[in-house]
Amino acid sequence: MAKRLQSVALFLTLSLAVSLGACEDSSVDGGEGSESTPASDVAPEGGEGGEGGEGGEGAATKNLNWANTFENTEVVAEFASQVVIPKYRQYVDKTAALSQAISAFGQESSPDSLEAARQAWTAARISWEQTETFAFGPAGLGFDGAMDSWPINQTDIEQILASSEPLGQAEVAQLQDTERGMHTIEYLLFGEASSKTVDQFTEREKQYLQALGQDLNAVATELLATWESGLGGQPAYKEVLATAGSAENAVYPTTAAGAQELVIGILDSLTEVGEEKLEAPFIAQDVTGLESRFSYQTLNDLKSNLKSAENGYLGRFPEAGAQAKASISSYVASVDPALDQKIQAQFAAAESSLAAVPAPLETSLKDPAAADEIQAAIDAILQVKETIETQVVPLI
């Protein structure tokens, strides 16, 4: 935990430098043509390139045509309270349920308890992938890597299993990110091609799984705390985001910088799902490039990432009945109602196209009969991204 606390402190320090640089580069009145630099331009640590940039540059590194005239503080504050906090609370609950299901499987291993653990993993995975749009701030500074590093190091994992070293929660917390987290749990729970049977589990694997489940829930709880109450003397990140533009805010010196962080999160989610997680392995015809290939759940990842981008745009968390009073969508609608309707229609079309891709993607990726559906999904997702990049960004 100490390493992550240091990372959060470092984030705030780096953000101060970035924000000051942005102030110097932007015009005093924030007029059109100037560029502010949201905190997400700080390079993330760990994870899949720090969720929101799995090996690609991501939207945050591009020169986007920001207006820098956005002043609606309610949009930024409501996003933190109505989307981020409820979603992370749900994720904490899902990881707790996963940890309990793994423990139950370890105590009484049967096809039913194994299936329950796998279903709990899938539920936690869907919840986590729907946080993609707000993988900025604390998530990209140690927490993401500890929970979602990919690809995992199967060689090291097998060496850990072959050793006799202690393997409890404390020991797992000290492992490399590629030896812990959701995908290590996935690898051990499902096996290659989701084919592992109950009799193939060793006691050492069950011990490792139990510690991994406990560690995942602990890290998820800490991440929630960074947003809700703050850790290590740092302010709650919900307050950092909600006070964008206030005189004392070193991370977001303008309200526009806070709103730009949200839009970049949306764009990065769309880039990741359309280009990195779907288009790249499709072009390469490489099933090993699919992130959740052990469980055959990659298509769920893509749908969840897309839903995260839509929820970020609309300022909502439907499962919890949470809806922001003000959102990027409502702001766009106030300026250009037709544009907002267009974007919402494009999100719906992208979701429909992705739903038409035959499941599991691990099988259909290389099936010529599914090629048109996969390409249509890629095109629809990237169409939303293009519209937001070229028509929404100039409004923020």
Side-chain angles (χ1 to χ4, degrees):
M1 179 174 173
K3 179 181 177 181
R4 285 191 288 275
L5 293 181
Q6 291 170 2
S7 295
V8 174
L10 175 62
F11 171 79
L12 294 177
T13 302
L14 289 174
S15 294
L16 173 59
V18 170
S19 298
L20 290 175
C23 290
E24 292 173 359
D25 292 340
S26 300
S27 60
V28 174
D29 62 3
E32 292 186 11
S34 61
E35 287 190 9
S36 64
T37 307
S40 55
D41 282 359
V42 178
E45 297 177 2
E48 307 164 56
E51 282 289 339
E54 297 176 329
E57 288 189 354
T61 61
K62 294 182 178 179
N63 291 321
L64 297 174
N65 186 30
W66 301 110
N68 290 316
T69 55
F70 185 93
E71 296 181 349
N72 191 328
T73 57
E74 189 176 22
V75 169
V76 183
E78 285 276 302
F79 183 80
S81 64
Q82 298 300 315
V83 182
V84 179
I85 300 298
K87 194 65 196 178
Y88 276 146
R89 284 175 181 162
Q90 183 203 55
Y91 178 60
V92 169
D93 291 343
K94 297 295 185 183
T95 58
L98 171 59
S99 180
Q100 293 166 4
I102 288 173
S103 180
F105 171 66
Q107 293 170 8
E108 187 176 343
S109 302
S110 68
D112 286 345
S113 61
L114 175 57
E115 180 60 24
R118 288 174 172 174
Q119 289 181 4
W121 182 89
T122 299
R125 182 70 188 164
I126 289 171
S127 180
W128 170 250
E129 290 296 276
Q130 288 184 3
T131 71
E132 186 71 40
T133 297
F134 41 95
F136 51 76
L141 293 151
F143 293 98
D144 176 88
M147 294 188 290
D148 196 22
S149 190
W150 182 82
I152 56 171
N153 191 323
Q154 292 174 238
T155 300
D156 283 357
I157 291 169
E158 292 299 333
Q159 289 177 347
I160 291 169
L161 290 170
S163 77
S164 57
E165 294 296 318
L167 197 55
Q169 181 182 349
E171 287 76 25
V172 163
Q174 299 304 313
L175 294 177
Q176 296 295 316
D177 288 345
T178 54
E179 303 162 352
R180 60 198 286 224
M182 298 197 78
H183 290 300
T184 301
I185 294 174
E186 178 195 14
Y187 172 64
L188 294 176
L189 264 185
F190 291 86
E192 291 285 352
S194 191
S195 61
K196 197 170 185 178
T197 58
V198 173
D199 60 341
Q200 293 176 312
F201 285 83
T202 66
E203 290 304 313
R204 179 74 168 172
E205 286 177 325
K206 294 174 188 177
Q207 181 186 13
Y208 195 1
L209 274 167
Q210 182 164 331
L212 286 166
Q214 293 167 346
D215 176 64
L216 182 68
N217 179 242
V219 178
T221 301
E222 289 175 14
L223 177 56
L224 173 61
T226 65
W227 279 87
E228 274 194 316
S229 57
L231 285 176
Q234 298 298 328
Y237 206 78
K238 66 178 180 181
E239 298 301 331
V240 175
L241 188 60
T243 58
S246 64
E248 67 277 8
N249 194 316
V251 181
Y252 304 110
T254 65
T255 305
Q260 288 162 15
E261 184 83 279
L262 309 188
V263 175
I264 285 173
I266 294 166
L267 289 172
D268 279 349
S269 293
L270 294 169
T271 299
E272 185 165 317
V273 65
E275 296 178 7
E276 297 163 12
K277 289 186 176 181
L278 186 54
E279 186 177 45
F282 178 58
I283 291 173
Q285 289 290 281
D286 180 15
V287 176
T288 65
L290 300 178
E291 185 178 352
S292 294
R293 65 183 179 87
F294 300 120
S295 60
Y296 275 34
Q297 293 291 317
T298 299
L299 196 54
N300 270 343
D301 285 0
L302 303 182
K303 292 175 180 178
S304 297
N305 289 163
L306 181 58
K307 180 60 68 175
S308 178
E310 183 183 36
N311 288 344
Y313 178 73
L314 296 172
R316 68 180 189 183
F317 175 26
E319 296 96 323
Q323 175 65 62
K325 297 175 183 176
S327 64
I328 298 296
S329 171
S330 67
Y331 175 73
V332 171
S334 71
V335 178
D336 187 344
L339 175 59
D340 177 61
Q341 292 172 7
K342 175 182 177 180
I343 292 170
Q344 292 197 47
Q346 286 182 343
F347 268 118
E351 290 175 352
S352 178
S353 295
L354 198 53
V357 173
L361 187 60
E362 287 74 13
T363 299
S364 64
L365 184 77
K366 300 173 73 173
D367 181 358
D372 288 346
E373 286 82 358
I374 295 173
Q375 187 60 58
I378 293 168
D379 293 342
I381 293 163
L382 296 183
Q383 181 61 67
V384 191
K385 177 194 170 187
E386 181 182 0
T387 300
I388 293 174
E389 207 168 61
T390 60
Q391 299 183 51
V392 174
V393 163
L395 302 178
I396 311 292

